[in-house]
Amino acid sequence: MNSFSKSFSEAISTNRKIYSETAIDHSMNPRNLGDMDDADGFAKATGSCGDTMEIWLEVKSGTIANATFMTDGCGTSIASGSVVTEMAKGRGVGEARRISRQDVLSALGGLPEESEHCALLAADTLKAAIEDYLKRQA
């Protein structure tokens, strides 16, 4: 094993002690990554750490049919955006609007305290995208 492979293996082993398999999976294999043409709702928010997240929504008959995201943030921001868009899809707008930071944290199997703000960023960005959708409907 060369030194890069050994360092990479050690880093993965360390991350598995800090993050759940779910958080690692959503970080390494994000779902719903990308923008959306002709979205029914959109929001862009910046978190306390400076990470930015964008969420696009497609809504059909009051239900979120599709949700996508982009972030310039770290792995926990990626995981949080991935899981919050998965949670939103198939839910009614009112139900999805109630997805909280704690819901995102629970779905990810928790995050280290210093990374919990990423779950808040994802939940807040989703809420803002829903608000944008509702304003467009009014």
Side-chain angles (χ1 to χ4, degrees), residues 5-17:
S5 294
K6 184 177 179 187
S7 295
F8 185 73
S9 293
E10 288 171 358
I12 294 294
S13 178
T14 299
N15 280 337
R16 289 193 194 294
K17 293 175 188 170

Side-chain angles (χ1 to χ4, degrees), residues 9 15 21 24 50 59 62 67 74 91 99 103 107 124 132 135:
S9 293
N15 280 337
E21 286 297 322
I24 292 169
V59 181
C74 63
R91 291 189 186 203
I99 295 172
D103 294 328
D124 285 351
D132 180 59
K135 284 179 188 173

Side-chain angles (χ1 to χ4, degrees), residues 13-116:
S13 178
T14 299
N15 280 337
R16 289 193 194 294
K17 293 175 188 170
I18 299 170
Y19 299 100
S20 72
E21 286 297 322
T22 301
I24 292 169
D25 183 44
H26 276 274
S27 178
M28 304 279 291
N29 305 294
R31 284 62 150 184
N32 313 307
L33 188 62
D35 61 6
M36 182 188 298
D37 292 332
D38 301 321
D40 298 313
F42 168 77
K44 180 177 182 177
T46 302
S48 60
C49 65
D51 290 358
T52 300
M53 187 172 290
E54 298 171 286
I55 292 182
W56 292 263
L57 302 174
E58 176 187 5
V59 181
K60 303 251 189 236
S61 302
T63 298
I64 297 175
N66 196 14
T68 62
F69 82 101
M70 292 288 289
T71 184
D72 61 3
C74 63
T76 52
S77 286
I78 294 167
S80 296
S82 176
V83 82
V84 82
T85 53
E86 282 288 286
M87 293 171 73
K89 291 191 321 186
R91 291 189 186 203
V93 170
E95 183 183 2
R97 192 180 191 185
R98 291 188 296 274
I99 295 172
S100 69
R101 167 188 156 280
Q102 188 57 50
D103 294 328
V104 175
L105 288 171
S106 293
L108 288 171
L111 291 174
E113 187 176 335
E114 65 272 10
S115 298
E116 289 182 356

